[in-house]
């Protein structure tokens, strides 16, 4: 435990120094193919390390239960800091170090538990594998994720979109508003709104809240807002590019399966043993 | 059915639950069938209001803070009853009743503004499972919190098995609630996770309970530390549920209750 605290103390001191001394985290540098290569390197590198040197300090550190608690505690503290901030941004050196450590640790724990006989092995694989995929999809996939907003009106087709920083770009597809329908509750709040759009002057598409349109395997269109007048003349469409959504989505569904098994199968074996001790009056 | 009729149903339910709690405390046996039946009847009265209210609103009563309190009260008593039936902790029904009474009184004395409108983003098939699963998890964790406090005050590990099981079940539901929210967010806003204040507090809460489970799995952690984690988890959970509404960051949140 003390060794773990020392090593992670040094590691996160480095993270803090980077956060304080270096300029903003260069997220774009880690865009594909760099993130893909790093993920591949981590997956194969840790596998080889575990096979070739199972007793090495690095393997013991990364698969230690103390590491789990230390990293989770740091994540709690980081979340609390973010939660109390008025404009939180997890894109920073600190979170880069934290999520890198969490991913490597989870990968090592997965290798250690998924390939040996153990009680509730399927549950272990679903929970840890799912969490690993979700973490990889969101953390490694973040540099490839982008969004743009397009004001779309009825007058003419538009390709002009805006980044969250108000940067202007031109998309390869054009959109034109054909029809917009909004209904209101008696108290004036919007009940529902939907837009009929013309994509590339050829294809009719319908957009409403909670019902995005898949433009391609990586891009989705969302209806996010409209002109708040009795007869709206334009609506705001958001284009989200998220190539890693399949990795993230798979991770989420695996984790949901693991939760179901956690509920059905109950307590893990180790806890049951300690439960019996506790029932006899012993301390855990 | 409107909030005007709520005090009648609530009074009937509270009376039955109090009767159940007294029965459980005064019973000579570890488990009192009468206490369980009284509590179950109170739950039926409370459930009847929720069902009739749902039908009259023509939407699930899950939108406002007051409506979520309604579910929390129901699930807390349900979790308390199930825990009592399984582990026979006779004082748990009283604790659950007192906690439920607090939330029910809040709804009666300080009613939120209720209307029948449901904003477009909430009109999704994820709405009911996401919120009910989360509120059930909150209630189960509430029971675990009560047991942790009792164990702390009495300096005993007697309640640890029940706490472990409740935390395990609560964790399964908490995770399912969080993940269903992520899938819904992808449909509604395009991103699974936005680091919205509510999501950030949800992540902190989830991690705290995860630390507890891992400490228990490894057999590490002293009694005080384990109980402190459960208390911290419960406090974080309250922040996540309604505390974020009072933070400056809530101005930008997409999860604020109306």
């Amino acid at each position: 435990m003390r060794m773990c605290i020392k090593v992670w103390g040094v590691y996160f001191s480095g993270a803090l120094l980077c956060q304080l001394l270096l300029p903003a985290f260069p997220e774009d540098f880690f865009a594909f193919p760099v993130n893909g290569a790093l993920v591949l390197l981590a997956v194969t590198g840790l596998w080889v390390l575990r096979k070739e040197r199972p007793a090495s300090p690095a393997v013991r550190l990364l698969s230690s239960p103390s590491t789990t608690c230390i990293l989770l505690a740091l994540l709690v503290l980081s979340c609390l800091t973010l939660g109390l901030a008025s404009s939180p941004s997890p894109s920073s050196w600190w979170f880069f170090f934290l999520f890198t450590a969490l991913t490597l640790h989870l990968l090592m724990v997965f290798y250690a538990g998924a390939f040996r006989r153990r009680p509730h092995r399927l549950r272990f694989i679903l929970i840890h594998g799912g969490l690993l995929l979700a973490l990889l999809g969101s953390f490694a996939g973040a540099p490839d994720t982008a969004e743009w907003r397009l004001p779309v009106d009825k007058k003419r087709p538009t390709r002009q979109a805006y980044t969250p920083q108000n940067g202007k770009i031109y998309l390869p597809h054009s959109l034109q508003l054909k029809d917009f329908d909004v209904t209101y509750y008696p108290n004036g709040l919007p009940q529902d709104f939907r837009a009929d759009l013309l994509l590339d002057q050829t294809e009719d598409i319908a957009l409403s809240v909670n019902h995005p349109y898949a433009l391609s395997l990586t891009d989705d269109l969302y209806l996010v807002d409209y002109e708040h007048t009795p007869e709206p003349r334009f609506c705001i469409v958001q284009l989200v590019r998220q190539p890693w959504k399949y990795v993230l989505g798979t991770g989420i569904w695996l984790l949901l399966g693991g939760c179901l098994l956690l509920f059905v199968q109950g307590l893990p074996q180790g806890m049951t043993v300690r439960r019996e001790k506790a029932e006899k009056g012993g301390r855990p | 059915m409107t909030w005007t009729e709520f005090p009648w149903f609530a009074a009937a339910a509270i009376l039955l639950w109090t009767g159940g709690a007294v029965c459980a405390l005064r019973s000579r046996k570890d488990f009192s069938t009468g206490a369980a039946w009284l509590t179950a009847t109170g739950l039926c009265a409370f459930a009847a209001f929720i069902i009739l209210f749902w039908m009259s609103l023509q939407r699930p009563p899950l939108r406002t803070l007051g409506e979520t309190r309604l579910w929390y009260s129901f699930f807390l008593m349900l979790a308390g009853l199930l825990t009592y039936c399984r582990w026979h902790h006779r004082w748990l029904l009283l604790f659950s009743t007192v906690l439920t009474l607090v939330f029910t009184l809040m709804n009666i004395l300080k009613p939120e503004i209720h209307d029948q409108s449901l904003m477009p983003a909430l009109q999704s098939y994820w709405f009911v499972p996401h919120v009910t699963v989360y509120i059930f998890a909150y209630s189960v964790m509430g029971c675990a919190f009560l047991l942790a406090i009792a164990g702390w005050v009495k300096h005993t590990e007697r309640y640890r098995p029940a706490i472990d099981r409740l935390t395990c079940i609560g964790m399964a539901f908490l995770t399912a609630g969080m993940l269903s929210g992520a899938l819904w967010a992808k449909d509604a806003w395009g991103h699974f996770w936005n680091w919205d204040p509510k999501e950030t507090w949800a992540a902190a809460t989830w991690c705290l309970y995860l630390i507890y489970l891992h400490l228990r799995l490894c057999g590490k952690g002293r009694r005080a530390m384990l109980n402190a984690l459960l208390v911290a988890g419960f406090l974080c959970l309250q922040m996540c549920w309604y505390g974020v509404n009072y933070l400056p960051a809530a101005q930008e949140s997409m999860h604020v209750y109306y």
Side-chain angles (χ1 to χ4, degrees):
Chain A
M1 179 73 179
R2 278 185 189 168
M3 186 62 193
C4 277
I5 292 174
K6 269 186 192 170
V7 174
W8 290 118
V10 172
Y11 177 84
F12 282 103
S13 301
L16 203 59
L17 280 177
C18 286
Q19 181 68 40
L20 295 173
L21 302 176
L22 293 180
F25 178 69
E27 197 175 62
D28 292 344
F29 172 78
F30 292 95
F32 191 81
V34 175
N35 51 3
L38 287 175
V39 168
L40 209 60
L41 188 70
V43 170
T44 51
L46 286 188
W47 176 261
V48 171
L49 185 68
R50 202 182 153 270
K51 280 278 165 199
E52 298 297 320
R53 296 178 178 218
S56 65
V59 172
R60 278 189 292 151
L61 175 79
L62 282 175
S63 48
S64 154
S66 302
T67 295
T68 310
C69 295
I70 291 169
L71 293 181
L72 283 174
L74 282 168
L75 186 55
V76 170
L77 291 175
S78 310
C79 284
L80 291 182
T81 315
L82 269 187
L84 292 168
S86 55
S87 52
S89 166
S91 176
S92 60
W93 282 105
W94 176 264
F95 274 92
F96 171 75
F97 276 82
L98 181 58
F99 282 124
T100 302
L102 269 171
T103 309
L104 294 179
H105 170 57
L106 198 52
L107 199 54
M108 195 56 100
V109 168
F110 183 74
Y111 285 157
F115 299 102
R116 67 177 171 88
R117 282 178 181 274
R118 55 174 296 146
H120 306 316
R121 188 169 156 198
L122 176 63
R123 182 170 82 186
F124 178 89
I125 291 172
L126 288 175
I127 290 178
H128 291 82
L131 195 55
L132 184 61
L133 286 179
L135 201 59
L136 280 176
S138 55
F139 169 53
D144 296 324
T145 304
E147 65 174 55
W148 302 277
R149 288 197 172 195
L150 303 87
V152 182
D153 62 29
K154 289 181 180 175
K155 286 181 189 166
R156 63 186 83 81
T158 182
R159 292 171 185 273
Q160 193 172 297
Y162 296 89
T163 63
Q165 293 77 32
N166 272 334
K168 200 188 291 182
I169 66 152
Y170 289 91
L171 298 174
H173 298 279
S174 73
L175 283 172
Q176 186 173 5
L177 184 63
K178 275 180 71 181
D179 192 25
F180 190 82
D181 187 30
V182 55
T183 50
Y184 293 95
Y185 288 109
N187 62 7
L189 283 173
Q191 183 177 12
D192 194 19
F193 54 93
R194 58 172 281 142
D196 292 319
L197 302 159
L198 198 57
L199 175 67
D200 291 333
Q201 294 297 297
T202 52
E203 192 184 344
D204 287 326
I205 62 171
L207 280 184
S208 60
V209 182
N210 285 320
H211 296 94
Y213 174 80
L215 199 57
S216 68
L217 281 174
T218 58
D219 297 1
D220 295 298
L221 288 174
Y222 294 82
L223 180 63
V224 290
D225 208 351
Y226 58 94
E227 186 190 31
H228 293 270
T229 55
E231 291 294 325
R233 290 166 301 169
F234 66 87
C235 64
I236 308 289
V237 174
Q238 180 170 271
L239 171 63
V240 177
R241 178 167 296 160
Q242 197 174 23
W244 293 68
K245 66 181 174 181
Y246 302 102
V247 179
L248 223 162
T250 308
I252 287 176
W253 281 108
L254 290 181
L255 197 47
L256 272 171
C259 284
L260 184 68
L261 287 184
L262 184 67
F263 175 65
V264 173
Q265 295 175 338
L267 282 176
Q269 193 68 31
M271 275 166 95
T272 318
V273 173
R274 267 176 290 284
R275 182 173 64 89
E276 285 159 4
K277 280 184 187 170
E279 277 170 350
K280 287 174 190 164
R283 283 170 70 105
Chain B
M1 187 66 59
T2 63
W3 281 106
T4 320
E5 285 85 29
F6 176 64
W8 298 105
F9 283 87
I14 295 284
L15 274 176
L16 286 162
W17 290 337
T18 310
V22 171
C23 260
L25 283 173
R26 292 179 66 91
S27 170
R28 287 182 185 171
K29 295 179 200 163
D30 274 350
F31 177 73
S32 157
T33 317
W37 275 110
L38 279 171
T39 312
T41 315
L43 276 168
C44 289
F46 213 81
F49 175 78
I50 294 177
I51 293 166
L52 293 171
F53 190 46
W54 188 328
M55 287 164 70
S56 71
L57 281 178
Q58 296 173 331
R59 66 164 173 81
L62 294 160
R63 189 175 76 90
T64 65
L65 188 56
E67 288 166 11
T68 59
R69 279 189 201 131
L70 198 67
W71 287 92
Y72 186 75
S73 304
F74 176 75
F75 283 137
L76 186 66
M77 279 315 296
L78 183 66
L81 176 63
L82 294 178
T83 312
Y84 173 68
C85 291
R86 172 65 183 80
W87 286 288
H88 306 172
H89 296 315
R90 54 176 65 200
W91 51 268
L92 189 67
L93 284 180
L94 180 66
F95 274 37
S96 305
T97 303
V98 171
L99 202 56
T100 303
L101 184 67
V102 171
F103 283 99
T104 307
L105 280 178
M106 272 189 210
N107 265 5
I108 293 172
L109 300 175
K110 194 178 170 246
E112 308 294 322
I113 296 165
H114 302 289
D115 56 51
Q116 296 192 2
S117 54
L118 196 63
M119 58 193 281
L122 295 182
Q123 292 167 27
S124 162
Y125 48 84
W126 288 113
F127 180 45
V128 176
H130 171 65
V131 183
T132 47
V133 161
Y134 242 129
I135 297 291
F136 182 72
Y138 287 3
S139 324
V140 173
M141 293 311 194
C143 269
F145 164 75
L146 290 175
L147 288 169
I149 293 287
W152 212 342
V153 171
K154 292 183 178 176
H155 300 287
T156 175
E157 279 295 87
R158 216 183 119 221
Y159 307 120
R160 190 64 58 200
I163 294 173
D164 287 348
R165 280 192 191 274
L166 286 172
T167 311
C168 196
I169 293 168
M171 194 62 190
F173 277 85
L174 204 62
T175 313
M178 196 164 72
L179 297 177
S180 59
L183 292 169
W184 182 8
K186 178 65 185 161
D187 273 354
W189 301 312
H191 299 285
F192 291 99
W193 195 265
N194 281 305
W195 291 103
D196 179 274
K198 189 138 185 150
E199 293 170 355
T200 309
W201 281 95
T205 310
W206 188 72
C207 287
L208 278 170
Y209 284 115
L210 211 54
I211 295 174
Y212 175 85
L213 282 183
H214 277 92
L215 282 176
R216 293 292 296 136
L217 269 172
C218 314
K220 290 183 178 175
R222 281 168 299 174
R223 190 169 60 201
M225 186 204 249
L226 293 171
N227 289 334
L229 271 171
L230 289 169
V231 172
F234 183 76
L235 292 177
C236 252
L237 209 140
Q238 304 306 310
M239 274 302 289
C240 176
W241 182 13
Y242 50 83
V244 285
N245 289 13
Y246 305 104
L247 292 176
Q251 306 292 327
E252 297 160 27
S253 174
M254 292 178 282
H255 288 89
V256 177
Y257 288 108
Y258 293 95

